[in-house]
Amino acid sequence: MTIKRRQISIAVVLFVAGFAVSLTIQSANDAAPATRSDTESSSLQPEEIQDEILAEQEANREIAEEISAVQREIASFEDSIAAREEEHYNQLEDIERLRMITGDIPVSGEGVEIRLDDSDFNEGQDNPNEFIVHERHIQKVVDELYASGAEAVAVNGQRLANDSYIYCVGPVVEVDGYTSFAPFEITAIGDAETLEEAVNLGGGVRDQLVNDNVQVRTDQLNETEMAGLHEEGAAQ
Amino acid sequence: MNNKSLVIISAFTLITAGTALLLFMSADSEPQAVETRDTAELQEDLLDEKDRRQKLNDELAHLQEVYNQFQEEEDPELVMDDVLNDLKRAAGVTEVSGEGVVLTVDVYIDEHYEGGGIRHIPPYLLRMLINELNVQGAEEIAIDGQRVIATTAVREANDQTLVNGSWLSYFPIDVKVITEDPESLHHAMMSSQTRERFEYENLQFESETVQSLTVPAYDGVQRVRHMTPAQEG
């Protein structure tokens, strides 16, 4: 009886000891090379990814420049055709107008800038999430600007098109894959006074945003320039 | 004697086990979680950049083709017609047909519902839907017959939702979407967070892929009074 009991205890102890040893070895084995390869691969791997991103961005900038160059060549073809034949002058005007509307080319004009900021979050308040700018806040401003006659709108310099999307994650906003950071600046081209008034109207967008703890600043701009869709926004 | 050694062995074992566990946990838990998240975020950024490269290359190829046509075509006026037509399509002033998805938005009320009548899609929700559709690769969208263009405003007045300044009709509301890959857009929408958000607001949408559908042209006027082409330096 006692022998059996002792054997069992020893067996259990040995088992636990074995488990512990294997665990230690494993974690030592894992932890040492793994932390090393982790610090290597995770300080190196992210670096590698970072490098790749930079290379990709560089390549994209070059393609964007090429696009602008070809656009200019095409425009000069069109100019010469319009100059040669009177009837094409109107057609050329239409083309240029539509290129501004679609965002194919950079545009400039008077307008407004609406700046949205997270409100100051004090420790002890309920939920930090209630104090940051969300995409619905940006969208609300954008919709109000369009409703008030904005001809072109950009978020942090990135021109909006018919198939644009806006994503907010904390202080980061992504517009059509272009990432930028808070504060969020929404620029619009149109009648500066009308646009500013529309946003500041009592009970309007500004009040609603302030209610949501978003800081809103509006400024009229005599002249603002917006990059074309294929270009990276200016406010990077 | 035996008991003593047993106690010693047990104590030793317990300490070892404890240390091992501690080592194991501290080595594995937090730092790795943080780092994998960073890596995942970076990888997503990289994918974004590659996506953009694809789009830019498509755009460049298209423009180079136009350029070549201008050079080779004996009748460059024809090329100008093409350019104009492409732009009209991009601006949303022509109707467009193609394969795609039709979403039908309707009221969704379960037996526990105690609120009042549901009369419209809140603008923020409709914007969320458009946003999600664009993330999923929508090319053209029409909501209740209103084409979504760059300057489309979605807003609320008198508890009704307006798109392009027109009131939306009562439910069910059709959202027509033209896209290259209807199947993937359909699945993405049916499992989207947007769909859950709709349910919070007692709304739901069904989605259906279609071989061919037509979105109407934008019927308003797109004015250009305050902007001019910016000279590139």
Side-chain angles (χ1 to χ4, degrees), chain B residues 58-199:
Chain B
D58 289 350
E59 171 79 13
L60 183 59
H62 172 71
L63 286 171
Q64 265 159 351
E65 197 187 309
V66 172
Y67 177 76
N68 290 340
Q69 279 171 352
F70 266 124
Q71 274 196 318
E72 288 157 19
E73 182 66 55
E74 300 203 348
D75 198 0
E77 287 83 1
L78 289 177
V79 187
M80 247 164 113
D81 287 343
D82 282 349
V83 168
L84 188 57
N85 287 334
D86 280 353
L87 281 165
K88 279 182 176 165
R89 184 194 153 128
V93 295
T94 60
E95 64 170 40
V96 177
S97 300
E99 57 177 342
V101 172
V102 176
L103 304 180
T104 312
V105 184
D106 208 342
V107 178
Y108 166 72
I109 295 174
D110 64 12
E111 64 263 43
H112 305 299
Y113 182 69
E114 286 176 352
I118 294 154
R119 299 172 45 196
H120 70 305
I121 313 178
Y124 91 90
L125 206 53
L126 197 52
R127 262 301 172 195
M128 192 184 274
L129 181 70
I130 297 171
N131 219 30
E132 179 88 47
L133 286 168
N134 285 336
V135 168
Q136 304 301 342
E139 282 163 20
E140 310 293 343
I141 302 174
I143 296 165
D144 193 27
Q146 287 297 327
R147 178 78 168 271
V148 176
I149 59 164
T151 55
T152 290
V154 178
R155 62 207 178 100
E156 195 167 31
N158 301 325
D159 284 333
Q160 293 287 322
T161 300
L162 294 109
V163 176
N164 290 341
S166 302
W167 310 104
L168 289 188
S169 47
Y170 190 69
F171 301 104
I173 290 168
D174 276 356
V175 178
K176 292 181 175 172
V177 186
I178 290 181
T179 175
E180 257 178 26
D181 191 351
E183 202 64 32
S184 88
L185 187 132
H186 162 78
H187 289 300
M189 292 315 290
M190 289 307 275
S191 56
S192 64
Q193 275 197 348
T194 306
R195 197 151 186 272
E196 282 172 35
R197 282 307 308 203
F198 268 66
E199 288 179 12

Side-chain angles (χ1 to χ4, degrees), chain A residues 6, chain B residues 1-10:
Chain A
R6 222 179 64 191
Chain B
M1 178 60 168
N2 269 331
N3 265 354
K4 223 182 192 175
S5 66
L6 203 73
V7 168
I8 292 172
I9 291 172
S10 314

Side-chain angles (χ1 to χ4, degrees), chain A residues 173-190:
Chain A
V173 62
E174 188 184 320
V175 179
D176 297 342
Y178 290 89
T179 309
S180 58
F181 301 92
F184 305 115
E185 286 169 353
I186 303 157
T187 41
I189 293 179

Side-chain angles (χ1 to χ4, degrees), chain A residues 145-220:
Chain A
L145 291 168
Y146 281 142
S148 317
E151 293 168 8
V153 175
V155 175
N156 280 6
Q158 201 57 50
R159 175 82 188 263
L160 297 181
N162 66 323
D163 58 353
S164 287
Y165 64 84
I166 302 172
Y167 249 158
C168 271
V169 187
V172 181
V173 62
E174 188 184 320
V175 179
D176 297 342
Y178 290 89
T179 309
S180 58
F181 301 92
F184 305 115
E185 286 169 353
I186 303 157
T187 41
I189 293 179
D191 185 78
E193 207 146 314
T194 311
L195 294 177
E196 197 185 26
E197 270 172 22
V199 173
N200 289 332
L201 207 69
V205 172
R206 184 202 194 95
D207 287 355
Q208 290 168 33
L209 260 55
V210 168
N211 263 339
D212 272 2
N213 298 311
V214 173
Q215 296 185 37
V216 184
R217 217 186 93 172
T218 62
D219 284 300
Q220 295 190 18

Side-chain angles (χ1 to χ4, degrees), chain B residues 18-35:
Chain B
T19 318
L21 205 69
L22 206 81
L23 249 170
F24 186 69
M25 285 172 80
S26 68
D28 257 31
S29 58
E30 317 136 49
Q32 205 170 348
V34 169
E35 269 156 18

